[in-house]
Amino acid sequence: MGKENGRRDKLRSISKKEYLPVLSRFCDTVTELCLEDGSYKLVVLQGERDTSGAREGDYTTLIETIVKDYVDESDHAVFRDALSLDAVRKAAQQGSDVVTVQYRVRSNSGFKWVENRVFLHCDGWAVIVSHDIDYQKEYAGHNQRDVAQYGVALRNIYDELFEMNVTKNEFRLLHFREGKYVKPPQSGPLDALLERIVEEIIYVEDKAEFAAFIDPQKQREYFAEGSEARFLEFRELWVDLGYHWVSATLFPLARDGEEGDEVYLCFIMDIDEKKRAEEATEQNKQLQKQKMDDQRYRIIVNQTNTFVFEWYREGDARYVSKRLKNRFPAEYQARDVLDVLEKELVHEDDRRSFGDFVEELKQTRENSEVTVRLLDHSEEYKWCRIAMTYVNDEQKEPLRIIGTINDVDEAVQSKLALLHRAEYDTLTGILNMDAFYERAQELVQANPKKNYAVIRLDVNRFKLVNDLYGLDVGDNLLKHIARVLERCLAVREAVYGRLGGDVFVICVPYGRPEELVVLVRRIWQGVEEYDLRGNKASPSFGICYVEDRNIPMSIQCDWANLALKTVKGNMIKRWAFYGGKLREQQLDERMIESNMENALRSRQFVLYLQPKHDIRTGGIVGAEALIRWNHPTEGLMAPVRFVPLFERNGFIIKMDEFVWEQACVLLRKWIDKNKTPVPISMNVSRIHALNPGFEKRLLGMIARYRIPNELIELELTESTFVENQQELFQTMKTLQNAGLNVSMDDFGSGYSSLNMLKSVPVNTIKLDREFLNETTATSKGKIIMEHTISMVNDLGLKVVAEGVETQGQADFVDRAGCHIAQGYHYSKPMPIWDFEAMLFKQGDGAE
């Protein structure tokens, strides 16, 4: 039994290797299902596009996962009824060959259609193939009748599939459509099958050509020339006892090494109607001397909604159907229909493409078609497809030309609508972001001798417009800006669009930079024309010269945005150019981002400490953990150079945790050496504080180093407490309950400090250095500072003064009730060894 299973698996392995190149032409994925034990194995085609989920395992689990995560709810029952393990087994027991199901899967845009086909095998296996049919479904909405007709044709393309092993003289019937062909055996000797087909099934006039087609030696010679497939059309006997036209397509399969079997796949498809139509066309040549009238075309015209015209070379006879004349009124008498169309009926914008079509017909004298707009009897232009078919003599001279016109206006309009939705912003009607990037890139590449600039604009405090006046007013303002751009750029070879929100962007040619300033002024003035109930909308602009046309347009827009940010909200300076310092800043940020991960791994970041002093004794009562970057070529870098960037790109999370761990290591060292430690305060960035679960990681780290919780203080800036207050307050209370101290840093730098004090969960308030400098400069300011400190003390909170730089400031805050200070008056941030020398010398002296 084991040997038989091994042989079966080997055969399946060989088959899979041989058939994958063919299946990849038609399928997106292939899944093998064992009906006996319900296991599956996923084979991924087309460049391994499907990498989600397990590649093999329990099929029922796979089906339920797909239903839960992907299949649209309305199609759950359809999906399970066709593809569940019980359903597939039942279909196999009933003798089905193929099970087909179409269903919808969820996507960002709503849903898309997928089709699965289950091919059942007698050896207890099933093969499930899938492919995307969303476009077919979408197009079906526009022309269901045509799709239905083509669907019938597609379902009848592949009627028989044979595998022919020339080396082993074997064949297998892999697929067969019942009720049409004379059914051959399922498998057996190849030479016996071919002999029987030639003798009993092939039409007598086609026997010789078919025998040459299936001759192995001729096949080798043919495919040795590099061809991928071989084709033959012939007539064979069907079950209705008549001979019908079919087409055979022969594919050579890849051989397993030099000694592998020589194997071919042969597809058989029904082309009987096509061949009979060709025969009918051939027969119509015999009627070339007879002028055809309306009756001969009436059935065709009525059934296909086709308008027909013809030209006969002999006698220069012409025919134009009455329906064509009625639908497209013009003077046709003794005139070439193409000339009538071009001069009287074709839309002005389509005459160039129509002229190219006519010229191509004259040069090639082959079949051709063009889609243009024609003026019909309602005096409206409708999209029509014009097709011309040449019937030539043996010298390839035209004997007869048949022309047809079909109304395709609905289909073309639907396609244009889809394209418009894909490329244009639904609110403003101008290009959307992706379309702008593509069109602008094409524009600058196509005109290498012209200078181009990218101008980005947005509206200052646009959110306030929506909040004060409502979304409708905000939307109308955006529409107004789009109209301003259309008006200001009407005579320029420019591309413009909306990137999203209130952000608009332009790619425009220029001669001198001053022209860009003039354009910006015109747009600015046009935007301000919009009446916000007595107020004006205020735009800002960033301008970037396109110096390297190979740089993606998205990056050029980002550079323009960097310039815009320098004047954002400035009511005096409305625009700025990208360059100089901005470029240097960007290059510096790129250098920092490219080195930051390696710097963290190689410990280029070092911990600094700034002491906190008791104003009355001068002794050290704590420290703030700070970070410095000891760069191998740049030297010691201050945090102002890299911390803001880390906060923007998210690297600040790793940086925070590095500082926390270094502080824990230092406290553990002091404790192990029986030194008296002081509390260390550690900064928590805004992005980290709002990161779910950060308190668990922090408490876990403190526990791992066995640090008493009261030695750890967390510093969060005042602005952090403004965002997501409920969630953040709960996190801070959790940390306080665990024994950690929490302080509000930069108190006085914002506008909501006093209001928050009644509820914010902190232990300490750190007065911002700027708040201290500004308030102590005047008598009124000193009163504010004194009352602020008094209020903080009354609330039972500690207060620390930051940025104390003079003895006078120290004396003032001490008298006001703040007895802990931090600043250059006492000491700057210093390396660990300098801090230890100061701290423990102080401790030794005390002892």
Side-chain angles (χ1 to χ4, degrees), residues 34-97:
C34 179
L35 300 180
E36 182 178 352
D37 60 12
S39 63
Y40 78 94
K41 184 174 183 181
L42 177 64
V43 180
V44 181
L45 301 178
Q46 298 288 10
E48 297 293 324
R49 287 182 293 181
D50 185 0
T51 57
S52 61
R55 295 299 181 90
E56 57 186 47
D58 181 65
Y59 178 75
T60 299
T61 302
L62 172 67
I63 289 298
E64 291 306 313
T65 300
I66 294 174
V67 169
K68 177 182 176 183
D69 296 340
Y70 299 102
V71 178
D72 190 85
E73 292 181 2
S74 60
D75 291 337
H76 282 185
V78 174
F79 184 89
R80 287 194 177 99
D81 289 347
L83 298 179
S84 68
L85 181 59
D86 290 341
V88 177
R89 284 173 173 169
K90 183 177 179 181
Q93 291 170 358
Q94 293 175 346
S96 300
D97 291 330

Side-chain angles (χ1 to χ4, degrees), residues 660-676:
W660 301 345
E661 186 158 23
Q662 294 304 302
C664 289
V665 169
L666 182 60
L667 287 168
R668 184 72 256 162
K669 185 183 76 168
W670 292 346
I671 295 171
D672 291 343
K673 290 185 176 183
N674 295 319
K675 300 290 186 180
T676 302

